[in-house]
Amino acid sequence: IPSTESLPLFITGYSEGGGYALKASQMAQTSQSVMLTKNALELKMTSPQEGAYSLQDQMDFAFSEAYDGVLVVLLLKTQLV
């Protein structure tokens, strides 16, 4: 991957993780936006989910668009280098 190319970042969480997905998305758009740029990441979509649903069906729905790129999972406790 060329160093000039940004990778798309998709943030998702299910159940309790839905709240963490929202917070991670908020951080990616504000206080941590420099960290994303530094690591060649660009936030493309946030999909927080909750409820008693089929997780497989929800994930299929959330990512049903044809996006090119790599799915990156951002964990709040993980620092990207």
Side-chain angles (χ1 to χ4, degrees):
I1 300 173
S3 61
T4 57
E5 186 175 329
S6 292
L7 295 174
L9 174 64
F10 300 91
I11 301 175
T12 188
Y14 182 76
S15 192
E16 182 181 331
Y20 291 110
L22 283 175
K23 182 62 177 177
S25 180
Q26 178 188 36
M27 292 172 65
Q29 295 174 64
T30 57
S31 64
Q32 297 300 313
S33 61
V34 172
M35 190 253 327
L36 292 180
T37 303
K38 177 182 169 186
N39 290 284
L41 296 170
E42 180 182 355
L43 181 62
K44 289 292 184 183
M45 182 173 59
T46 302
S47 178
Q49 301 169 33
E50 64 172 296
Y53 307 109
S54 164
L55 183 56
Q56 181 64 46
D57 290 342
Q58 291 298 310
M59 296 303 278
D60 289 346
F61 173 77
F63 296 106
S64 63
E65 297 291 325
Y67 289 102
D68 291 331
V70 178
L71 175 64
V72 179
V73 178
L74 176 66
L75 300 175
L76 293 177
K77 293 184 180 181
T78 302
Q79 265 190 342
L80 298 176
V81 182

